[in-house]
Amino acid sequence: MSKLLTISSTAIAILLTAAAGTQPAKTSLLPDSQLTAITSEASGALAKDTIIALGHLHRVHASPGFHQAAEYIADRARDYGLEEVHIESFPADGKTTYNSFKAYLGWEPKSGVLTELGESPQVIADFSKMPVALADYSNDADVTTDLIDVGAGTSEKDYAGKDVKGRIVLAGGNVAAVHHEAVDQRGAAGVLSYQPNQVTGWSGDYPDLVRWGHLSPYNTANKFAFMISLRKARELQARLNHGEIIKLHAEVSAQMKPTNFEVVTGIIRGTDPAAGEIVYSCHLCHQKPGANDNASGAATILEDARILARLIREKKLPRPKRNIRFLWPPEIAGTMCYFARHADEVAKMVAVIHMDMVGGDPKLTHAIFHLTRTPASLPSFTNDVAAVFGSYVYDGARRAAMDGDFTNANISTEGSKEMMLADFHDFTMGSDHDVYQEGSFHVPAIYMNDWPDVFIHTNGDVPANMDATKLQRVAVIGASSGYFMASAGEAEAKILMGEVFARGGERQSQALRRAFAESDILKGLNIIKQSTEQERSALDSIKSLDPQSKTTSDRVEDLKQRLSMREAEAFMALRDIHGADAIHEGPKLLQVYKRNPKVLGGMDIYYYDYIKDHVPEAPNSAAPAPPLDGTLAYEALNLVDGKRNVSDIHHVLTGAYGPVEIKKLVDYLKLLERAGVVTLAERTSAK
Ligand SMILES: [Zn+2]
C-alpha cells in the first residue's frame, strides 16, 4: 500500500515537472515529432518550380499539351518515389459514357493566326505566342473577310438588321453561345471574342487580359474563334463605328478528333490493404500558363507526394495503414472516367484532399485561401481535421507577421513573410470535389481553393503571381491532414472525436443564434434540428477510421446523445421565447425518391449537361432552364436516398442553405425522374 502510494506520488511529481517545462503540443492530432518532420521537409520553392514547368504547356483536356504535362508529372512522381506511377487513358471520342458523363472529342491545335490586312498587315492574335488567343475546339480555317460588330452576340436582337453571313463577328458574350448564334444559325465565318472573365470585385479593372475561351466540344461543325482583350475590342469597335471596313485573314490549323483523356496516378502503399485509401486530387488541365489554376494544385499535391514518400522511406514517419493515392486528371471529366473504371477503388476511398488554386499571392491576385467544408448532404470529420491543421498554419503565419515569432511560420526560402489571407469556408462547388462528394460516391473532401483570383482563365495567370510561402503552407496542411487520416485508428479516432464534438458544439451555438433571429419558430426549430443532425452525422463518420471497434462506436454514440441533449435544450429555449402554442406544422410531401443505380454521378459535368441530353425536347420541357441549379440542384439529388421524403429534403436544404421554394424542388425532382435519374420509391406513412 505504502509502496504503491510512493510510486504514484513520484509519477505525479514527474508529470508535474514535465508539464511545467514543456510547450503545449502544436496540434491535437499529430505528435509534434511527426508534424515537425513534415514542416521541415516541405518546400514551396520546389512546388513553384513545378508550376513554372507546367506553365509552359497549353493543357487543354485530351490535347497534346495535356499529354506532355501528364508525362512530366509521371516522371517527377517516379523520381520522388511514388509506386505504381502510370498514365491511364480513356477514350475521348464523343461517344463513350463514364457513368453520367458522355465523353467529348479531343483537340489538336497546331497554329492559328488572325491578321488585319492593309498596307502594313498587323497580327491581332497568334496561337504560337499566346495559346489562349485561339479558342479551344476551333477547327481548320483559311478565310479572308471583314469584321462586323454584334454586341454581346448571344441573342436574336444582337443580329437585327445585320448580315453576318461569311463575316467574322466581333462579340462580347460567351464565345460558344456566340458561335451558335452567329456561325451555326446565321452562317458567319468565325468569331472574334472579348468574352469577359468571371465576376469579382475587380471585374473590368484589367482591360489587357485575354480570356481563355472554348467552343462546344460536342459540336464537330465548329469553325473558329479568336480571343482578344477588352482594350483591343474597344479600338476595333470605335473604328467600325466610324464606318471603317476592317479586313481580316484567319488561318487556323486545329482539329477536333478522337483522342484520350489521361489521368496520372501513383500510390504510397499502406500496411493494411483492407483499411481503405486517402486520395490527393487536383486538376492538371487548363490554358497556358494556368499557374494558379491549376498548376498550383497539381504541383502542391506532387510536393505532398514527395514529402510523404521521402519521410516514410527514411522512416521519419511510420508507414500509414491506409494507401495514399495521388490523381492528376483533366478537371471533372478525368475524375468521372477514373471513377467509372475503378468502382472498387472508389468504394474504399475514406477521404480526399482536393487542391484547386492554392498559390495566389494576395497582393497580386487578390486571392483569399479557403479550407472549404463538405456539403450538407455529407457531414464529415474531414472538416475538423482541416480545422486543426489549418488553424496551426494560419496562427503560425500570423504570429510570424505580427510578433516576429517564427516558431510555426512555415516560410519558404523563396517566398514572402506575409500572414495568410485565409479562412474556413462553407461548401462551394466548382471542381473535382463535386464528383467525390456526389450522392453516388460519398467521399468527403477537404477542398482547398483560392477565390477570387483576378487572373483566372486568362493569359495573366502566370507563375510570378505565386507565393512560394503560401504553397509551402498549403503543402503542410495537405501533408499533415492526409497523413493523419491515412494513419488513424482507435487512438486517433478518440482524439478526433473530441475535436468534432467541441467544434460541433460551437457550430450548434451558431445555428442557435440563426434560429433565434428567425421570426418563424418552425424555421428556427428546423435550423437547430438540421445543425444537430449534421454534427451527429459528422461524429458517425469517424467510425470509418476504425470500423471494427465497438469502443469507438460506443464513444461516438455517447457523444451523439450529448448533442441531442443540447438540441433538446435549444428547442426549449426557442419555445420559451416564441411560446409553445405558436407551432403549427403544415402538410408534408411524403413522396420518397430513390436513385437509379445505373446512373451514377452528377448532372452537370464540365461541358456535359446530363438532363438536357436525356429529357426529350418537349414544348414545356423544363430542361433549358432547370427549376433548381447550382448547389441546390446538386444537393437536392445528393439527398435522394430512398429514405428521405420530399419534405425531409426540403428541410435539409432550407436549414443549411436558406429559403428554397418547395415547388421548385418538386419540379426538379420530377425533371430528374423524367431524365431517368431517380424513381418514385414509396410513400412514407404520415407521422
Ligand atoms: Zn479553372
Side-chain angles (χ1 to χ4, degrees), residues 212 283 286 293 331 456-457:
W212 177 41
H283 65 90
H286 272 28
D293 190 15
E331 191 170 26
I456 183 176
H457 296 175

Side-chain angles (χ1 to χ4, degrees), residues 43-45 48 361 363 410-418 466-473:
S43 167
K48 192 165 175 180
D361 181 340
K363 296 192 295 300
N410 290 304
I411 284 172
S412 164
T413 48
E414 297 181 12
S416 79
K417 292 195 275 193
E418 304 291 319
M466 300 299 102
D467 176 12
T469 291
K470 180 165 165 179
L471 292 164
Q472 185 161 316
R473 287 168 174 165

Side-chain angles (χ1 to χ4, degrees), residues 248-269:
L248 301 173
H249 178 227
E251 199 168 357
V252 178
S253 174
Q255 299 88 34
M256 293 171 75
K257 59 196 272 192
T259 58
N260 289 295
F261 297 113
E262 292 176 312
V263 178
V264 189
T265 181
I267 199 169
I268 296 172
R269 282 259 161 235

Side-chain angles (χ1 to χ4, degrees), residues 7 22 31-32 84 88 90 99 193 210 237 248 295 321 324 398 456 520 558 581 612 673 679 682 687:
I7 290 166
T22 50
D32 280 3
E84 299 168 39
E88 287 200 29
F90 304 84
N99 289 325
S193 171
V210 178
Q237 280 172 327
L248 301 173
K321 60 182 191 179
I324 305 178
R398 187 184 301 114
I456 183 176
D520 179 345
D558 286 349
D581 297 340
K612 252 185 197 166
E673 194 181 3
T679 54
E682 62 189 81
K687 282 175 221 149

Side-chain angles (χ1 to χ4, degrees), residues 444-554:
I446 295 177
Y447 173 37
M448 307 188 183
N449 63 305
D450 277 356
W451 189 263
D453 180 324
V454 297
F455 302 110
I456 183 176
H457 296 175
T458 72
N459 59 331
D461 183 7
V462 294
N465 297 343
M466 300 299 102
D467 176 12
T469 291
K470 180 165 165 179
L471 292 164
Q472 185 161 316
R473 287 168 174 165
V474 174
V476 166
I477 299 171
S480 47
S481 300
Y483 182 72
F484 170 79
M485 294 191 291
S487 309
E490 189 179 303
E492 291 78 12
K494 184 174 151 188
I495 306 166
L496 182 56
M497 237 175 263
E499 289 287 348
V500 174
F501 180 75
R503 289 168 194 267
E506 290 170 18
R507 290 185 287 266
Q508 248 187 334
S509 298
Q510 285 167 15
L512 184 56
R513 275 204 333 252
R514 279 201 293 136
F516 277 134
E518 286 284 350
S519 56
D520 179 345
I521 185 171
L522 280 176
K523 283 187 183 154
L525 291 172
N526 185 50
I527 288 170
I528 293 167
K529 182 174 171 224
Q530 297 306 331
S531 146
T532 310
E533 191 49 44
Q534 295 266 311
E535 298 307 334
R536 278 190 291 253
S537 301
L539 281 167
D540 263 332
S541 74
I542 295 173
K543 293 176 188 169
S544 70
L545 293 174
D546 187 26
Q548 310 304 336
S549 155
K550 176 142 185 350
T551 315
T552 292
S553 175
D554 287 349

